[in-house]
């Protein structure tokens, strides 16, 4: 299910993940994956129900999940997740309130305030978090500024969170002509080559193509 999901075959992925939940319905991680897929398919009511169920069972809230939940306008309990993230990465206590960022992510008229907050804490947050949120807020140049000086190639999970092909909030990164060079420098192309799948992600003069 997760591999079908990652290459955009959402309906097929959803069917397999529904079978997984039927087999192990109390696993919060499995329900979280079903919530992700249901979000992308567009069933808003069911997706919100599944996210709440995953939370009640203790599912983690990684960056990709946060991005998907913001598609639904779901700000709580994301605020708690953001505060925990800021505390862990050393954001000053007076700047840990995520209200401005969350409002900017869901209301285009408030993006300026959100970007100002992000620039103020940029040096204290994870580069993946900064890159992803700059892209989602429409400041692609700042996203690439951070990406160009930070080597995420050694941490494929971070790289996946930023570059995965199904996250609409980071589509602005993938449309940019700099994206191919970034994938190549971070080792995304070599990653697939090591698994004997060089055709899954290629870079040429026309840019990056990942399937």
């Amino acid at each position: 299910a997760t591999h079908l999901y990652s290459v955009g075959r959402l309906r097929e992925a959803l069917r397999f993940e529904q079978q997984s939940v039927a087999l192990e319905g109390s696993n919060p991680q499995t329900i979280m994956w079903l919530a992700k897929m249901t979000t992308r398919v567009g069933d808003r009511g069911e997706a919100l129900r599944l996210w709440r169920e995953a939370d009640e069972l203790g599912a983690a809230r990684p960056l990709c999940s946060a991005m998907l939940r913001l598609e639904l306008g779901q700000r709580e309990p994301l605020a708690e997740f953001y505060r925990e993230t800021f505390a862990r990465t050393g954001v000053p206590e007076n700047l840990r309130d995520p209200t401005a960022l969350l409002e900017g992510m869901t209301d285009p008229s408030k993006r300026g305030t959100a970007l100002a907050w992000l620039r103020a804490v940029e040096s204290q947050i994870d580069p993946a978090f900064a890159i992803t949120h700059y892209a989602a807020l429409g400041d692609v140049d700042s996203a690439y500024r951070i990406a160009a000086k930070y080597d995420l190639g050694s941490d494929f999970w971070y790289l996946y969170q930023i570059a995965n092909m199904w996250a609409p909030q980071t589509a602005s990164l993938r449309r940019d002509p700099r994206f191919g060079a970034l994938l190549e420098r971070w080792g995304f192309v070599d990653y697939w080559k090591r698994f004997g799948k060089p055709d899954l992600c290629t870079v040429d003069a026309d840019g990056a193509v990942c399937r």
Side-chain angles (χ1 to χ4, degrees):
T2 56
H3 279 78
L4 287 167
Y5 179 63
S6 70
V7 296
R9 293 165 62 178
L10 302 181
R11 294 286 178 182
E12 293 171 86
L14 186 64
R15 287 196 296 272
F16 278 106
E17 195 63 25
Q18 287 168 339
Q19 293 177 37
S20 297
V21 170
L23 290 169
E24 49 173 354
S26 61
N27 185 327
Q29 197 73 7
T30 306
I31 293 172
M32 185 184 74
W33 269 105
L34 182 57
K36 288 182 179 184
M37 296 173 192
T38 306
T39 301
R40 297 303 300 120
V41 168
D43 189 344
R44 177 185 174 84
E46 178 64 5
L48 286 169
R49 185 192 71 76
L50 288 164
W51 283 118
R52 285 193 293 270
E53 185 177 350
D55 283 337
E56 289 168 2
L57 290 169
R61 299 174 192 142
L63 187 54
C64 280
S65 294
M67 292 285 101
L68 283 163
R69 292 160 77 126
L70 285 169
E71 274 190 65
L72 300 168
Q74 189 186 40
R75 289 175 49 186
E76 291 290 350
L78 279 185
E80 179 188 346
F81 164 70
Y82 277 70
R83 281 190 290 268
E84 291 170 354
T85 300
F86 303 153
R88 186 183 69 252
T89 57
V91 173
E93 190 169 353
N94 65 319
L95 291 173
R96 290 179 191 169
D97 184 351
T99 301
L101 179 62
L102 290 169
E103 287 182 346
M105 295 289 291
T106 55
D107 183 349
S109 69
K110 297 182 179 180
R111 284 183 178 175
T113 302
L115 283 168
W117 179 90
L118 192 54
R119 292 179 188 118
V121 301
E122 180 185 302
S123 62
Q124 282 91 34
I125 55 179
D126 292 331
F129 187 101
I131 293 166
T132 303
H133 285 77
Y134 270 129
L137 290 167
D139 188 349
V140 180
D141 286 340
S142 289
Y144 272 99
R145 172 175 52 78
I146 295 172
K149 66 182 181 182
Y150 196 85
D151 180 15
L152 295 180
S154 60
D155 191 334
F156 184 76
W157 176 237
Y158 260 4
L159 190 155
Y160 177 78
Q161 291 184 86
I162 295 167
N164 69 75
M165 298 299 105
W166 45 262
Q169 293 88 349
T170 54
S172 57
L173 289 175
R174 299 190 293 280
R175 289 193 298 264
D176 193 283
R178 294 168 284 188
F179 186 59
L182 185 63
L183 284 184
E184 195 163 38
R185 188 172 69 80
W186 279 353
F188 205 80
V189 178
D190 287 340
Y191 176 85
W192 291 115
K193 286 179 181 176
R194 290 200 300 273
F195 283 87
K197 301 287 185 180
D199 58 316
L200 287 181
C201 196
T202 59
V203 176
D204 57 28
D206 297 322
V209 176
C210 291
R211 300 173 179 84

